[in-house]
Amino acid sequence: MSFDKVQADRLAVKIRKNILRAIASEGKGHIGGSLSIADTFAVLYSGVAKVDPADPGKADRDFVVMSKGHCGPAMYAVLAAKGFFPEEALDTLNKGNTILPSHTDRLKTPGVDISTGSLGQGASLAAGAALADKLDGKTSYIYMILGDGELDEGQVWESALFAAHHKLDHLITFVDVNGKQLDGPTDQVCCLGSIEDKFRAFGYHVVSVQNGNDTGQIYQAIQEAKAVKDKPSVILLHTVKGAGIRYYEEMANCHSTEVKKENLPDFYQELDRRLKEKEEA
Ligand SMILES: Cc1ncc(C[n+]2csc(CCOP(=O)(O)OP(=O)(O)O)c2C)c(N)n1
């Protein structure tokens, strides 16, 4: 398949606008880690992941698993942009009877296949789904997104052992290495050492993406991962927490914080301006 970087970058802007809109409707939420993973969602939903908004439960679909489920707004942002449900639903984030709870829930949202929120669990569920597909002789992919803070969970490493043991080469894991977690820099909360060496030691093919907010680099990393046979791949995305909006990029802790409705026009303008600069560069 061909990849259109210009369209993917435009989708990333739309995703960021939708994230801001959804969280502003609540006044506060997980903005930092939602913005940092926006470009990965833009690539996955630019023809990479086999999904169909008209038939979200299609039998041969790929799964996109948001294991860092607190960043549900990033997934909702792309699902709305792609027509899985009307964009107006974004204004109901985390409210009573919403289809968009703060953390992803497969029983509530079209396009969400695995419920998450308790960090680490999405990793095991994704590995289980990948094994089930393999046993069924399916060719679908499972794309799973972890946070770097989430790597503190022992369950992530248990699932990694399992995925390598079963040679799950259709399980592609992303780690959003934004360097920060809930209450501080990941290195200070619980130092991870070399994430690259750790996954390699667990039997993974490791792709390190220098700029994890660059759609072209993300796309190339996925192509590399897909060419690997008989082992799972992990793509380490070196991102910026709050990416796209200077105010959040520069905030010491933008994990879960205010997004004011009155600031949306300025934020949208900044996103449009930065995209224009990129397109003209
Ligand atoms: C098992 C479990 N423990 C604690 C939490 C609370 N919690 C929510 S987000 C978070 C930090 C996650 O950091 P990271 O994975 O780096 O996410 P990002 O920075 O990308 O938002 C924590 C500890 C949780 N959701 N699940």
Side-chain angles (χ1 to χ4, degrees), residues 23 29-34 36 66-76 93 101-104 116-120 145-150 176 178 180-182 241 254-256:
I23 296 181
H30 291 103
I31 186 69
S34 295
S36 58
M66 187 56 154
S67 190
K68 54 166 196 156
H70 58 283
C71 296
M75 187 154 187
Y76 306 151
L93 179 74
S102 67
H103 296 53
T104 41
T116 55
S118 184
L119 296 170
I145 298 166
L146 298 168
D148 51 357
E150 187 174 8
D176 185 355
N178 58 34
K180 296 176 181 176
Q181 63 136 303
L182 185 152
K241 200 154 176 169
C254 65
H255 183 76
S256 176

PDB file of all heavy atoms in Angstrom, residues 23 29-34 36 66-76 93 101-104 116-120 145-150 176 178 180-182 241 254-256:
ATOM      1  N   ILE A  23     -11.610  16.710  25.631  1.00  0.00           N
ATOM      2  CA  ILE A  23     -11.169  16.953  27.015  1.00  0.00           C
ATOM      3  C   ILE A  23     -11.684  18.310  27.522  1.00  0.00           C
ATOM      4  O   ILE A  23     -12.056  18.442  28.689  1.00  0.00           O
ATOM      5  CB  ILE A  23      -9.635  16.803  27.137  1.00  0.00           C
ATOM      6  CG1 ILE A  23      -9.254  15.337  26.815  1.00  0.00           C
ATOM      7  CG2 ILE A  23      -9.152  17.175  28.545  1.00  0.00           C
ATOM      8  CD1 ILE A  23      -7.780  15.001  26.917  1.00  0.00           C
ATOM      9  N   GLY A  29      -8.412  16.423  31.777  1.00  0.00           N
ATOM     10  CA  GLY A  29      -8.260  15.018  31.381  1.00  0.00           C
ATOM     11  C   GLY A  29      -6.830  14.711  30.987  1.00  0.00           C
ATOM     12  O   GLY A  29      -5.923  15.539  31.139  1.00  0.00           O
ATOM     13  N   HIS A  30      -6.653  13.487  30.437  1.00  0.00           N
ATOM     14  CA  HIS A  30      -5.303  12.999  30.114  1.00  0.00           C
ATOM     15  C   HIS A  30      -4.841  13.567  28.778  1.00  0.00           C
ATOM     16  O   HIS A  30      -4.790  12.853  27.764  1.00  0.00           O
ATOM     17  CB  HIS A  30      -5.302  11.474  30.100  1.00  0.00           C
ATOM     18  CG  HIS A  30      -5.490  10.887  31.458  1.00  0.00           C
ATOM     19  ND1 HIS A  30      -6.685  10.350  31.898  1.00  0.00           N
ATOM     20  CD2 HIS A  30      -4.630  10.789  32.507  1.00  0.00           C
ATOM     21  CE1 HIS A  30      -6.546   9.931  33.142  1.00  0.00           C
ATOM     22  NE2 HIS A  30      -5.311  10.181  33.541  1.00  0.00           N
ATOM     23  N   ILE A  31      -4.459  14.797  28.792  1.00  0.00           N
ATOM     24  CA  ILE A  31      -4.120  15.497  27.561  1.00  0.00           C
ATOM     25  C   ILE A  31      -2.703  15.153  27.071  1.00  0.00           C
ATOM     26  O   ILE A  31      -2.486  14.943  25.877  1.00  0.00           O
ATOM     27  CB  ILE A  31      -4.306  17.039  27.738  1.00  0.00           C
ATOM     28  CG1 ILE A  31      -4.105  17.780  26.435  1.00  0.00           C
ATOM     29  CG2 ILE A  31      -3.448  17.615  28.858  1.00  0.00           C
ATOM     30  CD1 ILE A  31      -5.169  17.541  25.412  1.00  0.00           C
ATOM     31  N   GLY A  32      -1.746  15.077  27.999  1.00  0.00           N
ATOM     32  CA  GLY A  32      -0.339  14.914  27.598  1.00  0.00           C
ATOM     33  C   GLY A  32      -0.081  13.661  26.792  1.00  0.00           C
ATOM     34  O   GLY A  32       0.459  13.707  25.681  1.00  0.00           O
ATOM     35  N   GLY A  33      -0.476  12.506  27.335  1.00  0.00           N
ATOM     36  CA  GLY A  33      -0.227  11.220  26.665  1.00  0.00           C
ATOM     37  C   GLY A  33      -1.170  10.973  25.500  1.00  0.00           C
ATOM     38  O   GLY A  33      -0.917  10.094  24.677  1.00  0.00           O
ATOM     39  N   SER A  34      -2.269  11.731  25.427  1.00  0.00           N
ATOM     40  CA  SER A  34      -3.147  11.624  24.256  1.00  0.00           C
ATOM     41  C   SER A  34      -2.506  12.358  23.087  1.00  0.00           C
ATOM     42  O   SER A  34      -2.459  11.842  21.965  1.00  0.00           O
ATOM     43  CB  SER A  34      -4.536  12.207  24.562  1.00  0.00           C
ATOM     44  OG  SER A  34      -5.180  11.443  25.551  1.00  0.00           O
ATOM     45  N   SER A  36       0.694  12.982  22.680  1.00  0.00           N
ATOM     46  CA  SER A  36       1.970  12.396  22.233  1.00  0.00           C
ATOM     47  C   SER A  36       1.763  11.211  21.280  1.00  0.00           C
ATOM     48  O   SER A  36       2.630  10.910  20.472  1.00  0.00           O
ATOM     49  CB  SER A  36       2.859  11.998  23.420  1.00  0.00           C
ATOM     50  OG  SER A  36       2.229  11.086  24.278  1.00  0.00           O
ATOM     51  N   MET A  66      -5.500   0.067  22.819  1.00  0.00           N
ATOM     52  CA  MET A  66      -4.934   1.201  23.555  1.00  0.00           C
ATOM     53  C   MET A  66      -4.665   0.750  24.983  1.00  0.00           C
ATOM     54  O   MET A  66      -5.469   0.993  25.884  1.00  0.00           O
ATOM     55  CB  MET A  66      -5.960   2.343  23.524  1.00  0.00           C
ATOM     56  CG  MET A  66      -5.473   3.631  24.099  1.00  0.00           C
ATOM     57  SD  MET A  66      -3.989   4.157  23.270  1.00  0.00           S
ATOM     58  CE  MET A  66      -4.089   5.915  23.519  1.00  0.00           C
ATOM     59  N   SER A  67      -3.532   0.056  25.163  1.00  0.00           N
ATOM     60  CA  SER A  67      -3.288  -0.481  26.507  1.00  0.00           C
ATOM     61  C   SER A  67      -3.155   0.643  27.538  1.00  0.00           C
ATOM     62  O   SER A  67      -3.573   0.482  28.676  1.00  0.00           O
ATOM     63  CB  SER A  67      -2.050  -1.385  26.517  1.00  0.00           C
ATOM     64  OG  SER A  67      -1.972  -2.071  27.745  1.00  0.00           O
ATOM     65  N   LYS A  68      -2.582   1.780  27.126  1.00  0.00           N
ATOM     66  CA  LYS A  68      -2.559   2.918  28.090  1.00  0.00           C
ATOM     67  C   LYS A  68      -3.940   3.597  27.982  1.00  0.00           C
ATOM     68  O   LYS A  68      -4.112   4.664  27.383  1.00  0.00           O
ATOM     69  CB  LYS A  68      -1.380   3.859  27.855  1.00  0.00           C
ATOM     70  CG  LYS A  68      -1.188   4.429  26.474  1.00  0.00           C
ATOM     71  CD  LYS A  68      -0.185   5.589  26.563  1.00  0.00           C
ATOM     72  CE  LYS A  68      -0.204   6.472  25.350  1.00  0.00           C
ATOM     73  NZ  LYS A  68       0.273   7.814  25.579  1.00  0.00           N
ATOM     74  N   GLY A  69      -4.920   2.896  28.560  1.00  0.00           N
ATOM     75  CA  GLY A  69      -6.328   3.222  28.339  1.00  0.00           C
ATOM     76  C   GLY A  69      -6.757   4.594  28.824  1.00  0.00           C
ATOM     77  O   GLY A  69      -7.791   5.112  28.388  1.00  0.00           O
ATOM     78  N   HIS A  70      -5.952   5.196  29.706  1.00  0.00           N
ATOM     79  CA  HIS A  70      -6.298   6.552  30.172  1.00  0.00           C
ATOM     80  C   HIS A  70      -6.223   7.553  29.013  1.00  0.00           C
ATOM     81  O   HIS A  70      -6.778   8.640  29.114  1.00  0.00           O
ATOM     82  CB  HIS A  70      -5.384   6.997  31.322  1.00  0.00           C
ATOM     83  CG  HIS A  70      -3.928   6.989  30.995  1.00  0.00           C
ATOM     84  ND1 HIS A  70      -3.181   5.824  30.955  1.00  0.00           N
ATOM     85  CD2 HIS A  70      -3.071   7.988  30.665  1.00  0.00           C
ATOM     86  CE1 HIS A  70      -1.944   6.123  30.628  1.00  0.00           C
ATOM     87  NE2 HIS A  70      -1.837   7.419  30.432  1.00  0.00           N
ATOM     88  N   CYS A  71      -5.538   7.179  27.922  1.00  0.00           N
ATOM     89  CA  CYS A  71      -5.457   8.068  26.748  1.00  0.00           C
ATOM     90  C   CYS A  71      -6.544   7.719  25.733  1.00  0.00           C
ATOM     91  O   CYS A  71      -6.391   7.960  24.532  1.00  0.00           O
ATOM     92  CB  CYS A  71      -4.059   8.022  26.137  1.00  0.00           C
ATOM     93  SG  CYS A  71      -2.808   8.650  27.267  1.00  0.00           S
ATOM     94  N   GLY A  72      -7.642   7.180  26.234  1.00  0.00           N
ATOM     95  CA  GLY A  72      -8.809   6.908  25.393  1.00  0.00           C
ATOM     96  C   GLY A  72      -9.154   8.065  24.465  1.00  0.00           C
ATOM     97  O   GLY A  72      -9.472   7.837  23.289  1.00  0.00           O
ATOM     98  N   PRO A  73      -9.104   9.321  24.920  1.00  0.00           N
ATOM     99  CA  PRO A  73      -9.460  10.435  24.035  1.00  0.00           C
ATOM    100  C   PRO A  73      -8.697  10.449  22.710  1.00  0.00           C
ATOM    101  O   PRO A  73      -9.240  10.887  21.688  1.00  0.00           O
ATOM    102  CB  PRO A  73      -9.142  11.676  24.878  1.00  0.00           C
ATOM    103  CG  PRO A  73      -9.368  11.219  26.289  1.00  0.00           C
ATOM    104  CD  PRO A  73      -8.899   9.784  26.317  1.00  0.00           C
ATOM    105  N   ALA A  74      -7.465   9.938  22.688  1.00  0.00           N
ATOM    106  CA  ALA A  74      -6.714   9.906  21.417  1.00  0.00           C
ATOM    107  C   ALA A  74      -7.360   8.913  20.459  1.00  0.00           C
ATOM    108  O   ALA A  74      -7.482   9.179  19.257  1.00  0.00           O
ATOM    109  CB  ALA A  74      -5.260   9.533  21.677  1.00  0.00           C
ATOM    110  N   MET A  75      -7.796   7.790  21.001  1.00  0.00           N
ATOM    111  CA  MET A  75      -8.433   6.786  20.134  1.00  0.00           C
ATOM    112  C   MET A  75      -9.808   7.276  19.679  1.00  0.00           C
ATOM    113  O   MET A  75     -10.169   7.137  18.505  1.00  0.00           O
ATOM    114  CB  MET A  75      -8.553   5.459  20.889  1.00  0.00           C
ATOM    115  CG  MET A  75      -9.053   4.340  20.013  1.00  0.00           C
ATOM    116  SD  MET A  75      -8.514   2.743  20.617  1.00  0.00           S
ATOM    117  CE  MET A  75      -9.059   1.687  19.278  1.00  0.00           C
ATOM    118  N   TYR A  76     -10.548   7.892  20.590  1.00  0.00           N
ATOM    119  CA  TYR A  76     -11.866   8.418  20.208  1.00  0.00           C
ATOM    120  C   TYR A  76     -11.717   9.487  19.121  1.00  0.00           C
ATOM    121  O   TYR A  76     -12.554   9.594  18.219  1.00  0.00           O
ATOM    122  CB  TYR A  76     -12.588   9.045  21.412  1.00  0.00           C
ATOM    123  CG  TYR A  76     -12.714   8.131  22.612  1.00  0.00           C
ATOM    124  CD1 TYR A  76     -12.758   8.649  23.904  1.00  0.00           C
ATOM    125  CD2 TYR A  76     -12.782   6.743  22.454  1.00  0.00           C
ATOM    126  CE1 TYR A  76     -12.876   7.819  25.002  1.00  0.00           C
ATOM    127  CE2 TYR A  76     -12.891   5.908  23.557  1.00  0.00           C
ATOM    128  CZ  TYR A  76     -12.930   6.444  24.830  1.00  0.00           C
ATOM    129  OH  TYR A  76     -13.037   5.630  25.912  1.00  0.00           O
ATOM    130  N   LEU A  93     -17.596  13.141  26.454  1.00  0.00           N
ATOM    131  CA  LEU A  93     -16.521  12.361  27.084  1.00  0.00           C
ATOM    132  C   LEU A  93     -16.749  12.221  28.590  1.00  0.00           C
ATOM    133  O   LEU A  93     -16.913  13.223  29.297  1.00  0.00           O
ATOM    134  CB  LEU A  93     -15.170  13.048  26.832  1.00  0.00           C
ATOM    135  CG  LEU A  93     -13.952  12.354  27.467  1.00  0.00           C
ATOM    136  CD1 LEU A  93     -13.592  11.079  26.707  1.00  0.00           C
ATOM    137  CD2 LEU A  93     -12.749  13.288  27.502  1.00  0.00           C
ATOM    138  N   PRO A 101     -16.276   6.586  27.489  1.00  0.00           N
ATOM    139  CA  PRO A 101     -15.804   6.705  28.878  1.00  0.00           C
ATOM    140  C   PRO A 101     -14.337   7.154  28.904  1.00  0.00           C
ATOM    141  O   PRO A 101     -13.666   7.064  27.881  1.00  0.00           O
ATOM    142  CB  PRO A 101     -15.947   5.284  29.418  1.00  0.00           C
ATOM    143  CG  PRO A 101     -15.910   4.400  28.224  1.00  0.00           C
ATOM    144  CD  PRO A 101     -16.430   5.190  27.062  1.00  0.00           C
ATOM    145  N   SER A 102     -13.854   7.609  30.049  1.00  0.00           N
ATOM    146  CA  SER A 102     -12.487   8.165  30.049  1.00  0.00           C
ATOM    147  C   SER A 102     -11.480   7.117  29.560  1.00  0.00           C
ATOM    148  O   SER A 102     -10.546   7.438  28.851  1.00  0.00           O
ATOM    149  CB  SER A 102     -12.105   8.683  31.432  1.00  0.00           C
ATOM    150  OG  SER A 102     -12.001   7.608  32.334  1.00  0.00           O
ATOM    151  N   HIS A 103     -11.665   5.846  29.934  1.00  0.00           N
ATOM    152  CA  HIS A 103     -10.756   4.770  29.521  1.00  0.00           C
ATOM    153  C   HIS A 103     -11.498   3.864  28.520  1.00  0.00           C
ATOM    154  O   HIS A 103     -12.706   3.650  28.646  1.00  0.00           O
ATOM    155  CB  HIS A 103     -10.322   3.933  30.727  1.00  0.00           C
ATOM    156  CG  HIS A 103      -9.509   4.705  31.740  1.00  0.00           C
ATOM    157  ND1 HIS A 103      -9.941   5.893  32.276  1.00  0.00           N
ATOM    158  CD2 HIS A 103      -8.308   4.455  32.307  1.00  0.00           C
ATOM    159  CE1 HIS A 103      -9.023   6.345  33.134  1.00  0.00           C
ATOM    160  NE2 HIS A 103      -8.020   5.489  33.165  1.00  0.00           N
ATOM    161  N   THR A 104     -10.766   3.288  27.579  1.00  0.00           N
ATOM    162  CA  THR A 104     -11.430   2.577  26.473  1.00  0.00           C
ATOM    163  C   THR A 104     -12.178   1.315  26.939  1.00  0.00           C
ATOM    164  O   THR A 104     -11.673   0.544  27.742  1.00  0.00           O
ATOM    165  CB  THR A 104     -10.398   2.197  25.380  1.00  0.00           C
ATOM    166  OG1 THR A 104      -9.198   1.752  26.011  1.00  0.00           O
ATOM    167  CG2 THR A 104     -10.067   3.367  24.505  1.00  0.00           C
ATOM    168  N   THR A 116      -9.553  -1.423  28.407  1.00  0.00           N
ATOM    169  CA  THR A 116      -8.281  -1.199  29.103  1.00  0.00           C
ATOM    170  C   THR A 116      -8.454  -0.126  30.182  1.00  0.00           C
ATOM    171  O   THR A 116      -9.518   0.459  30.313  1.00  0.00           O
ATOM    172  CB  THR A 116      -7.196  -0.727  28.117  1.00  0.00           C
ATOM    173  OG1 THR A 116      -7.687   0.432  27.444  1.00  0.00           O
ATOM    174  CG2 THR A 116      -6.833  -1.783  27.093  1.00  0.00           C
ATOM    175  N   GLY A 117      -7.403   0.137  30.898  1.00  0.00           N
ATOM    176  CA  GLY A 117      -7.442   1.164  31.944  1.00  0.00           C
ATOM    177  C   GLY A 117      -6.557   0.774  33.104  1.00  0.00           C
ATOM    178  O   GLY A 117      -5.862   1.603  33.673  1.00  0.00           O
ATOM    179  N   SER A 118      -6.583  -0.527  33.452  1.00  0.00           N
ATOM    180  CA  SER A 118      -5.648  -1.017  34.445  1.00  0.00           C
ATOM    181  C   SER A 118      -4.370  -1.339  33.673  1.00  0.00           C
ATOM    182  O   SER A 118      -4.321  -2.291  32.889  1.00  0.00           O
ATOM    183  CB  SER A 118      -6.217  -2.264  35.128  1.00  0.00           C
ATOM    184  OG  SER A 118      -5.346  -2.662  36.145  1.00  0.00           O
ATOM    185  N   LEU A 119      -3.348  -0.521  33.869  1.00  0.00           N
ATOM    186  CA  LEU A 119      -2.146  -0.604  33.034  1.00  0.00           C
ATOM    187  C   LEU A 119      -1.552  -2.008  33.044  1.00  0.00           C
ATOM    188  O   LEU A 119      -1.495  -2.655  34.081  1.00  0.00           O
ATOM    189  CB  LEU A 119      -1.112   0.423  33.510  1.00  0.00           C
ATOM    190  CG  LEU A 119      -1.529   1.893  33.362  1.00  0.00           C
ATOM    191  CD1 LEU A 119      -0.537   2.809  34.086  1.00  0.00           C
ATOM    192  CD2 LEU A 119      -1.652   2.299  31.907  1.00  0.00           C
ATOM    193  N   GLY A 120      -1.118  -2.454  31.891  1.00  0.00           N
ATOM    194  CA  GLY A 120      -0.516  -3.782  31.747  1.00  0.00           C
ATOM    195  C   GLY A 120      -1.485  -4.808  31.198  1.00  0.00           C
ATOM    196  O   GLY A 120      -1.097  -5.715  30.469  1.00  0.00           O
ATOM    197  N   ILE A 145      -0.684  -0.351  21.959  1.00  0.00           N
ATOM    198  CA  ILE A 145       0.056   0.839  22.409  1.00  0.00           C
ATOM    199  C   ILE A 145       0.231   0.835  23.925  1.00  0.00           C
ATOM    200  O   ILE A 145      -0.752   0.788  24.670  1.00  0.00           O
ATOM    201  CB  ILE A 145      -0.693   2.116  21.961  1.00  0.00           C
ATOM    202  CG1 ILE A 145      -0.774   2.170  20.440  1.00  0.00           C
ATOM    203  CG2 ILE A 145       0.000   3.361  22.533  1.00  0.00           C
ATOM    204  CD1 ILE A 145      -1.753   3.186  19.893  1.00  0.00           C
ATOM    205  N   LEU A 146       1.504   0.892  24.329  1.00  0.00           N
ATOM    206  CA  LEU A 146       1.853   0.975  25.749  1.00  0.00           C
ATOM    207  C   LEU A 146       2.434   2.344  26.051  1.00  0.00           C
ATOM    208  O   LEU A 146       3.014   2.985  25.168  1.00  0.00           O
ATOM    209  CB  LEU A 146       2.946  -0.045  26.090  1.00  0.00           C
ATOM    210  CG  LEU A 146       2.667  -1.535  25.915  1.00  0.00           C
ATOM    211  CD1 LEU A 146       3.972  -2.312  26.018  1.00  0.00           C
ATOM    212  CD2 LEU A 146       1.684  -2.002  26.985  1.00  0.00           C
ATOM    213  N   GLY A 147       2.334   2.777  27.302  1.00  0.00           N
ATOM    214  CA  GLY A 147       3.066   3.959  27.740  1.00  0.00           C
ATOM    215  C   GLY A 147       4.393   3.533  28.342  1.00  0.00           C
ATOM    216  O   GLY A 147       4.543   2.373  28.748  1.00  0.00           O
ATOM    217  N   ASP A 148       5.365   4.468  28.423  1.00  0.00           N
ATOM    218  CA  ASP A 148       6.638   4.053  29.042  1.00  0.00           C
ATOM    219  C   ASP A 148       6.471   3.881  30.553  1.00  0.00           C
ATOM    220  O   ASP A 148       7.065   2.980  31.158  1.00  0.00           O
ATOM    221  CB  ASP A 148       7.816   4.971  28.670  1.00  0.00           C
ATOM    222  CG  ASP A 148       7.564   6.451  28.884  1.00  0.00           C
ATOM    223  OD1 ASP A 148       6.447   6.847  29.282  1.00  0.00           O
ATOM    224  OD2 ASP A 148       8.505   7.243  28.649  1.00  0.00           O
ATOM    225  N   GLY A 149       5.608   4.679  31.168  1.00  0.00           N
ATOM    226  CA  GLY A 149       5.304   4.465  32.584  1.00  0.00           C
ATOM    227  C   GLY A 149       4.646   3.112  32.795  1.00  0.00           C
ATOM    228  O   GLY A 149       4.883   2.428  33.800  1.00  0.00           O
ATOM    229  N   GLU A 150       3.854   2.710  31.829  1.00  0.00           N
ATOM    230  CA  GLU A 150       3.160   1.414  31.908  1.00  0.00           C
ATOM    231  C   GLU A 150       4.150   0.253  31.974  1.00  0.00           C
ATOM    232  O   GLU A 150       3.820  -0.823  32.486  1.00  0.00           O
ATOM    233  CB  GLU A 150       2.222   1.264  30.693  1.00  0.00           C
ATOM    234  CG  GLU A 150       1.341   0.029  30.760  1.00  0.00           C
ATOM    235  CD  GLU A 150       0.317  -0.040  29.629  1.00  0.00           C
ATOM    236  OE1 GLU A 150       0.377   0.791  28.698  1.00  0.00           O
ATOM    237  OE2 GLU A 150      -0.556  -0.925  29.688  1.00  0.00           O
ATOM    238  N   ASP A 176       5.003   4.450  23.747  1.00  0.00           N
ATOM    239  CA  ASP A 176       5.044   5.911  23.677  1.00  0.00           C
ATOM    240  C   ASP A 176       6.064   6.405  24.711  1.00  0.00           C
ATOM    241  O   ASP A 176       5.741   6.634  25.867  1.00  0.00           O
ATOM    242  CB  ASP A 176       3.639   6.471  23.982  1.00  0.00           C
ATOM    243  CG  ASP A 176       3.561   7.964  23.803  1.00  0.00           C
ATOM    244  OD1 ASP A 176       4.606   8.597  23.534  1.00  0.00           O
ATOM    245  OD2 ASP A 176       2.451   8.518  23.948  1.00  0.00           O
ATOM    246  N   ASN A 178       7.491   8.958  26.020  1.00  0.00           N
ATOM    247  CA  ASN A 178       7.483  10.423  26.183  1.00  0.00           C
ATOM    248  C   ASN A 178       8.269  10.842  27.420  1.00  0.00           C
ATOM    249  O   ASN A 178       8.366  12.039  27.723  1.00  0.00           O
ATOM    250  CB  ASN A 178       6.049  10.986  26.167  1.00  0.00           C
ATOM    251  CG  ASN A 178       5.172  10.385  27.252  1.00  0.00           C
ATOM    252  OD1 ASN A 178       5.648  10.078  28.340  1.00  0.00           O
ATOM    253  ND2 ASN A 178       3.895  10.219  26.948  1.00  0.00           N
ATOM    254  N   LYS A 180       7.726  10.725  30.513  1.00  0.00           N
ATOM    255  CA  LYS A 180       7.032  11.188  31.722  1.00  0.00           C
ATOM    256  C   LYS A 180       5.874  10.246  32.022  1.00  0.00           C
ATOM    257  O   LYS A 180       5.282   9.698  31.098  1.00  0.00           O
ATOM    258  CB  LYS A 180       6.472  12.600  31.509  1.00  0.00           C
ATOM    259  CG  LYS A 180       7.534  13.664  31.272  1.00  0.00           C
ATOM    260  CD  LYS A 180       6.865  14.996  30.980  1.00  0.00           C
ATOM    261  CE  LYS A 180       7.881  16.101  30.721  1.00  0.00           C
ATOM    262  NZ  LYS A 180       7.240  17.374  30.350  1.00  0.00           N
ATOM    263  N   GLN A 181       5.555  10.100  33.298  1.00  0.00           N
ATOM    264  CA  GLN A 181       4.325   9.363  33.607  1.00  0.00           C
ATOM    265  C   GLN A 181       3.455  10.181  34.556  1.00  0.00           C
ATOM    266  O   GLN A 181       3.486  11.416  34.504  1.00  0.00           O
ATOM    267  CB  GLN A 181       4.628   7.930  34.046  1.00  0.00           C
ATOM    268  CG  GLN A 181       5.431   7.745  35.301  1.00  0.00           C
ATOM    269  CD  GLN A 181       4.796   6.655  36.128  1.00  0.00           C
ATOM    270  OE1 GLN A 181       3.630   6.747  36.477  1.00  0.00           O
ATOM    271  NE2 GLN A 181       5.569   5.600  36.418  1.00  0.00           N
ATOM    272  N   LEU A 182       2.642   9.532  35.383  1.00  0.00           N
ATOM    273  CA  LEU A 182       1.633  10.290  36.140  1.00  0.00           C
ATOM    274  C   LEU A 182       2.255  11.342  37.066  1.00  0.00           C
ATOM    275  O   LEU A 182       1.877  12.500  37.049  1.00  0.00           O
ATOM    276  CB  LEU A 182       0.765   9.304  36.929  1.00  0.00           C
ATOM    277  CG  LEU A 182      -0.437   9.829  37.701  1.00  0.00           C
ATOM    278  CD1 LEU A 182      -1.490   8.746  37.820  1.00  0.00           C
ATOM    279  CD2 LEU A 182      -0.070  10.328  39.089  1.00  0.00           C
ATOM    280  N   LYS A 241       5.642  14.562  25.369  1.00  0.00           N
ATOM    281  CA  LYS A 241       4.335  14.574  26.033  1.00  0.00           C
ATOM    282  C   LYS A 241       3.683  15.935  25.797  1.00  0.00           C
ATOM    283  O   LYS A 241       4.321  16.974  25.980  1.00  0.00           O
ATOM    284  CB  LYS A 241       4.500  14.272  27.537  1.00  0.00           C
ATOM    285  CG  LYS A 241       3.215  13.797  28.199  1.00  0.00           C
ATOM    286  CD  LYS A 241       3.471  12.931  29.407  1.00  0.00           C
ATOM    287  CE  LYS A 241       2.173  12.555  30.094  1.00  0.00           C
ATOM    288  NZ  LYS A 241       2.324  11.516  31.106  1.00  0.00           N
ATOM    289  N   CYS A 254       1.981  17.518  32.394  1.00  0.00           N
ATOM    290  CA  CYS A 254       0.713  17.696  31.672  1.00  0.00           C
ATOM    291  C   CYS A 254      -0.025  16.370  31.575  1.00  0.00           C
ATOM    292  O   CYS A 254      -0.809  16.146  30.667  1.00  0.00           O
ATOM    293  CB  CYS A 254       0.960  18.277  30.276  1.00  0.00           C
ATOM    294  SG  CYS A 254       1.874  17.175  29.184  1.00  0.00           S
ATOM    295  N   HIS A 255       0.245  15.465  32.529  1.00  0.00           N
ATOM    296  CA  HIS A 255      -0.351  14.121  32.455  1.00  0.00           C
ATOM    297  C   HIS A 255      -1.880  14.203  32.415  1.00  0.00           C
ATOM    298  O   HIS A 255      -2.520  13.721  31.491  1.00  0.00           O
ATOM    299  CB  HIS A 255       0.109  13.272  33.634  1.00  0.00           C
ATOM    300  CG  HIS A 255      -0.416  11.878  33.578  1.00  0.00           C
ATOM    301  ND1 HIS A 255       0.090  10.928  32.726  1.00  0.00           N
ATOM    302  CD2 HIS A 255      -1.457  11.275  34.234  1.00  0.00           C
ATOM    303  CE1 HIS A 255      -0.594   9.800  32.867  1.00  0.00           C
ATOM    304  NE2 HIS A 255      -1.537   9.996  33.780  1.00  0.00           N
ATOM    305  N   SER A 256      -2.447  14.809  33.450  1.00  0.00           N
ATOM    306  CA  SER A 256      -3.899  15.011  33.478  1.00  0.00           C
ATOM    307  C   SER A 256      -4.110  16.421  33.989  1.00  0.00           C
ATOM    308  O   SER A 256      -3.816  16.721  35.139  1.00  0.00           O
ATOM    309  CB  SER A 256      -4.568  13.994  34.406  1.00  0.00           C
ATOM    310  OG  SER A 256      -5.953  14.271  34.472  1.00  0.00           O
TER     311      SER A 256
END
